[in-house]
């Protein structure tokens, strides 16, 4: 027992401080050992904590990436990123993608040559101005000096593969395009040409400069919608934001001018993530839908205070036209889903109204769309209304088979009439409008031709949708008439009179944006700017179709993922292109 007690007391002596006080070396060693072990424990704990933090952050990133992935699944790649559009570029411009039919190829080259001639003349004499006056060889600023022709031409240059020209135009947009101009701009013209042109160039090239500029000009236009009803005023000062309607409408807003911004502003919301653009323009349709007539035909003047129509002309021509076009195209842009169902319903209602305006000429039975005032029909049709055959053909597939073929037939009959607007004049170019008197078929009213696109636009749609090469032949004949009558040394001009062929002095920007683009596409395979993937705005600017959100559903903020270098999560960005 004594030995046991003695060995136990030997063991416990190490716990007695006196033991160490008598042996300072051991005390020092013990202290060093204690510091060393503490350090190891502390270090391990720190490492574990750091790893836990890191794991937390990685989890956070994975979650954000999952949200983003879901978002991309939901809305497609709305930002139409550069790499993707580069692939698209191959689809739309590579020569070996284009048809090898020698006649088509030859015609396409002729149209491309026409574009080159128009563009080169603009570059030489009117660079940066809105439009070229080819006879006097100078530029004019018909739209406030926003470079309308240049912006209107961007996508045409791109699609035709005129790369150097596109690059020069892009440099101008990046370095010289300035919207800070105290100018009362037309909301409609600025939207369809400038916002539409820039967005299309963005969708095709993926270059962010176009989106930034589109946002800049759209922000300047937005206050125009701040009216009691939400129906926009049609003019706005680009610097001060003062908006108004022209005196000659009696203070009313114009139907087409108020209902032709939806495609562009919805596209802008999809690409920026900012809902304000879409909300303003969609509200217009909701307001008009509240008092939408049973035949879907709205007069051309709308009171911006009450949001209701004033007594005025009903027409598919000037001041009415593209309102109906956008009802259909927003439905297409919205993937024909339930969120855009009301657009299709309104459009179909308007088509019943259109049927009530359809008449035939005597003796030759040309089908035309008359106009209406009150209960009286007016036997007149604008060349502008020749967009309607294309629109009807485009919308026909949404009907059941019987209705569908009925509408497609109507589209084909109307296109024949529009083609005859051209064929029936000595220059083979159409006048601005036509009257229909019994026994005389059609007679030109206003006899100028300002290089308008509507008939070739419809021929393009009909060729795409029916595959009937007759439409290519008709388009080629119209192109040749432009070449013969409108081509001058320094660009293309309109005619003051299609009977005499006397020329004017203006190359309209839509000649490059629309007329030549639709002609080029008429001689290109359907895969070039496929109608399944793109929707054309009313100025022929193709906008990429992407899935869209339900009204009121916020665009989820896009995530800016923390890079390893930054070492911390920086937060959210609303931009589609972080
Ligand atoms: C273009 O600016 C657009 O096509 C618009 O919808 C109507 N007018 C011209 C072309 O004629």
């Amino acid at each position: 027992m004594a030995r046991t007690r003695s060995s136990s007391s030997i063991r416990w002596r190490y716990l007695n401080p006196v033991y160490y006080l008598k042996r300072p070396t051991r005390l020092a060693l013990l202290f060093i050992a204690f510091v060393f072990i503490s350090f190891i424990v502390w270090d391990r704990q720190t490492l574990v904590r750091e790893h836990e933090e890191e794991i937390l952050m990685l989890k956070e990133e994975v979650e954000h990436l999952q949200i983003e992935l879901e978002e991309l699944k939901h809305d497609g790649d709305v930002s139409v990123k550069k790499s993707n559009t580069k692939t698209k570029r191959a689809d739309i411009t590579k020569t070996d993608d284009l048809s090898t039919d020698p006649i088509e190829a030859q015609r396409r080259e002729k149209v491309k040559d026409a574009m080159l001639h128009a563009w080169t003349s603009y570059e030489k004499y009117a660079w940066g101005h809105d439009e070229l006056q080819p006879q006097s060889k100078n530029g004019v600023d018909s739209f406030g000096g926003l470079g309308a022709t240049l912006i209107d031409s961007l996508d045409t240059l791109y699609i035709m593969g005129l790369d150097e020209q596109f690059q020069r135009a892009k440099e101008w947009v990046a370095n010289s395009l300035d919207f800070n101009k105290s100018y009362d701009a037309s909301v409609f013209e600025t939207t369809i040409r400038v916002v539409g042109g820039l967005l299309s160039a963005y969708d095709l090239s993926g270059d962010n400069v176009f989106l930034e500029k589109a946002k800049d000009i759209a922000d300047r236009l937005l206050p125009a919608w701040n009216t009691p009803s939400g129906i926009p005023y049609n003019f706005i000062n680009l610097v001060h934001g003062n908006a108004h309607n022209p005196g000659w409408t009696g203070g009313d807003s114009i139907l087409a001018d108020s209902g032709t911004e939806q495609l562009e502003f919805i596209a802008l919301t999809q690409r920026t993530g900012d809902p304000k653009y879409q909300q303003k323009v969609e509200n217009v349709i909701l307001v008009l839908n509240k008092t939408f007539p049973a035949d879907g035909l709205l007069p051309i003047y709308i009171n911006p205070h009450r949001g209701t129509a004033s007594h005025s002309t009903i027409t598919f021509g000037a001041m009415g036209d593209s309102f109906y076009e956008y009802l259909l195209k927003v439905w297409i842009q919205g993937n024909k889903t339930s969120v855009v169902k009301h657009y299709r319903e309104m459009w179909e209602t308007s088509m019943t109204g259109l049927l009530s305006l359809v008449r035939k000429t005597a003796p030759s039975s040309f089908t035309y769309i008359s106009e209406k005032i009150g209960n009286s029909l007016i036997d007149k049709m604008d060349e502008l209304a020749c967009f309607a055959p294309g629109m009807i053909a485009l919308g026909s597939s949404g009907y059941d088979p019987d209705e569908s073929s009925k509408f497609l037939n109507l589209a084909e009959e109307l296109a024949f009439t529009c083609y005859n607007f051209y064929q029936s004049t000595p220059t083979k170019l159409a006048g601005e409008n036509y009257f229909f008197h019994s026994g005389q078929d059609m007679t030109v009213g206003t006899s100028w031709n300002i290089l308008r696109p509507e008939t070739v636009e419809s021929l393009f749609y009909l060729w795409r949708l029916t595959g009937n090469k007759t439409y290519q032949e008709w388009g080629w004949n119209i192109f040749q008439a432009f070449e013969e009558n409108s081509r001058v040394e320094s660009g293309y001009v309109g005619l003051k009179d299609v009977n005499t062929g006397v020329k004017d002095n203006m190359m309209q920007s839509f000649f490059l944006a629309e007329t030549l683009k639709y002609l080029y596409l008429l001689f290109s395979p359907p895969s070039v700017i496929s109608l399944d993937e793109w929707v054309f705005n009313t100025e022929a600017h193709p906008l990429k179709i992407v899935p869209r959100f339900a009204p009121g559903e916020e665009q989820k903020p896009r995530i800016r993922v923390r890079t390893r270098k930054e070492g911390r999560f920086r937060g959210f960005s609303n931009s589609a292109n972080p």
Side-chain angles (χ1 to χ4, degrees):
M1 283 293 282
R3 208 171 45 232
T4 313
R5 238 192 336 263
S6 148
S7 72
S8 150
S9 66
I10 284 167
R11 264 202 312 273
W12 288 104
R13 73 192 160 141
Y14 295 114
L15 297 175
N16 187 350
V18 179
Y19 173 85
Y20 293 98
L21 287 173
K22 287 181 186 165
R23 296 169 183 80
T25 316
R26 291 196 182 187
L27 178 62
L29 280 173
L30 189 67
F31 179 71
I32 289 166
F34 173 75
V35 169
F36 185 67
I37 290 165
S38 301
F39 176 75
I40 288 179
V41 169
W42 174 81
D43 186 51
R44 296 297 306 169
Q45 278 177 348
T46 308
L47 268 178
V48 168
R49 225 182 8 254
E50 275 183 353
H51 279 138
E52 278 172 351
E53 266 175 20
E54 187 74 18
I55 286 167
L56 216 69
M57 282 194 289
L58 285 171
K59 271 188 183 163
E60 207 176 28
E61 277 187 11
V62 168
E63 265 172 38
H64 291 316
L65 286 170
Q66 273 170 344
I67 294 171
E68 185 151 66
L69 187 68
E70 279 308 308
E71 199 179 32
L72 287 173
K73 270 189 207 155
H74 179 53
D75 68 356
D77 189 359
V78 292
S79 61
V80 195
K81 291 190 177 70
K82 198 166 188 170
S83 55
N84 289 348
T85 49
K86 272 194 169 160
T87 319
K88 282 292 152 218
R89 179 187 174 77
D91 289 349
I92 60 167
T93 59
K94 257 176 62 182
T95 334
D96 50 13
D97 277 350
L98 296 177
S99 145
T100 45
D101 176 323
I103 293 176
E104 271 183 20
Q106 203 182 42
R107 290 176 175 182
R108 199 165 52 234
E109 280 311 301
K110 288 278 181 205
V111 177
K112 185 170 167 178
D113 171 77
M115 178 67 188
L116 203 53
H117 178 61
W119 175 258
T120 309
S121 306
Y122 170 78
E123 263 199 298
K124 194 163 172 195
Y125 299 112
W127 183 245
H129 289 287
D130 285 328
E131 288 176 307
L132 166 68
Q133 293 193 311
Q135 311 271 35
S136 48
K137 300 182 180 168
N138 60 281
V140 279
D141 286 334
S142 6
F143 299 99
L146 310 180
T149 294
L150 187 147
I151 297 175
D152 246 354
S153 300
L154 285 165
D155 51 8
T156 310
L157 294 172
Y158 194 96
I159 291 165
M160 291 184 179
L162 293 167
D163 296 341
E164 283 171 27
Q165 290 77 358
F166 177 81
Q167 282 307 322
R168 282 201 293 277
K170 191 186 91 179
E171 293 303 315
W172 185 88
V173 169
N175 302 320
S176 307
L177 178 55
D178 178 17
F179 296 128
N180 210 33
K181 304 229 160 95
S182 185
Y183 174 76
D184 286 351
S186 157
V187 174
F188 164 75
E189 298 291 1
T190 313
T191 298
I192 65 170
R193 295 176 203 234
V194 181
V195 181
L198 289 167
L199 284 177
S200 190
Y202 172 68
D203 279 0
L204 290 164
S205 70
D207 200 311
N208 221 31
V209 71
F210 298 121
L211 183 61
E212 290 304 319
K213 292 288 182 182
K215 201 169 137 2
D216 181 357
I217 187 65
D219 285 338
R220 291 167 193 270
L221 298 177
L222 264 191
W225 277 266
N226 297 339
T227 65
S229 68
I231 301 293
Y233 290 127
N234 296 156
F235 288 85
I236 190 162
N237 186 285
L238 294 180
V239 171
H240 310 298
N242 305 328
H244 66 93
N245 279 337
W248 53 267
T249 65
D252 280 340
S253 301
I254 296 164
L255 177 64
D257 287 34
S258 309
T260 311
E261 290 86 10
Q262 283 67 25
L263 283 181
E264 296 82 356
F265 278 62
I266 291 170
L268 194 54
T269 282
Q270 291 175 325
R271 283 146 186 77
T272 60
D274 189 337
K276 69 183 174 199
Y277 308 105
Q278 180 168 336
Q279 281 164 1
K280 291 280 186 200
V281 295
E282 296 228 273
N283 179 53
V284 171
I285 303 304
L286 296 179
V287 169
L288 294 176
N289 203 9
K290 278 187 205 157
T291 54
F292 207 49
D295 61 4
L297 299 176
L298 279 176
I300 54 174
Y301 293 147
I302 310 289
N303 186 296
H305 299 278
R306 295 191 300 272
T308 53
S310 305
H311 181 77
S312 47
T313 308
I314 283 167
T315 177
F316 279 82
M319 295 191 272
D321 46 12
S322 44
F323 162 70
Y324 303 102
E325 176 187 349
Y326 272 32
L327 290 180
L328 176 70
K329 288 184 173 176
V330 174
W331 177 69
I332 293 169
Q333 182 191 38
N335 296 289
K336 308 176 182 178
T337 53
S338 59
V339 287
V340 284
K341 202 166 131 240
H342 59 295
Y343 286 92
R344 173 76 197 194
E345 285 166 355
M346 288 174 79
W347 183 77
E348 287 194 9
T349 307
S350 300
M351 289 306 99
T352 62
L354 184 145
L355 290 176
S356 73
L357 301 178
V358 168
R359 293 287 180 275
K360 293 211 184 246
T361 69
S364 309
S365 245
F366 285 108
T367 306
Y368 64 95
I369 309 170
S370 60
E371 298 183 349
K372 193 176 183 182
I373 206 162
N375 288 323
S376 313
L377 288 191
I378 306 156
D379 293 308
K380 169 188 170 254
M381 183 172 164
D382 289 344
E383 195 280 339
L384 280 164
C386 286
F387 85 95
M391 172 189 71
I392 296 167
L394 185 64
S396 65
S397 60
Y399 287 109
D400 65 52
D402 281 353
E403 284 289 282
S404 176
S405 66
K406 185 178 95 186
F407 276 101
L408 193 56
N409 283 342
L410 173 64
E412 299 205 71
E413 286 177 13
L414 288 168
F416 181 54
T417 304
C418 290
Y419 178 58
N420 207 61
F421 286 173
Y422 285 74
Q423 289 305 295
S424 58
T425 74
T427 52
K428 302 276 184 272
L429 287 177
E432 179 72 355
N433 53 45
Y434 284 80
F435 288 90
F436 308 95
H437 304 293
S438 185
Q440 294 173 33
D441 281 328
M442 57 184 76
T443 48
V444 182
T446 305
S447 61
W448 67 57
N449 176 295
I450 57 167
L451 306 165
R452 287 198 190 277
E454 289 75 18
T455 300
V456 290
E457 172 184 347
S458 283
L459 298 181
F460 157 74
Y461 280 109
L462 280 165
W463 175 72
R464 279 274 174 109
L465 298 165
T466 66
N468 185 343
K469 282 179 171 277
T470 301
Y471 299 117
Q472 287 183 313
E473 294 308 313
W474 292 359
W476 180 244
N477 292 340
I478 291 174
F479 175 70
Q480 284 180 305
F482 280 128
E483 287 293 283
E484 274 157 36
N485 294 281
S486 293
R487 187 171 175 135
V488 293
E489 185 203 337
S490 308
Y492 287 82
V493 293
L495 300 185
K496 288 181 180 166
D497 187 341
V498 292
N499 296 308
T500 63
V502 173
K503 294 171 176 35
D504 72 13
N505 185 24
M506 183 64 85
M507 187 170 78
Q508 304 281 342
S509 81
F510 52 66
F511 183 64
L512 293 84
E514 300 193 67
T515 314
L516 293 178
K517 186 188 289 133
Y518 283 129
L519 282 165
Y520 182 83
L521 293 174
L522 185 62
F523 303 117
S524 304
S527 59
V528 182
I529 311 290
S530 155
L531 291 176
D532 296 331
E533 292 173 33
W534 299 84
V535 60
F536 289 88
N537 87 339
T538 195
E539 190 78 1
H541 296 306
L543 300 170
K544 195 94 169 77
I545 298 171
V546 299
R548 56 166 279 176
F549 292 96
E553 191 186 341
E554 293 285 312
Q555 289 266 358
K556 286 179 197 125
R558 298 205 153 257
I559 310 304
R560 181 163 185 263
V561 177
R562 178 181 66 101
T563 63
R564 291 228 159 261
K565 217 174 169 189
E566 287 169 345
R568 65 199 169 91
F569 182 71
R570 280 279 184 77
F572 300 91
S573 158
N574 264 330
S575 161
N577 285 310

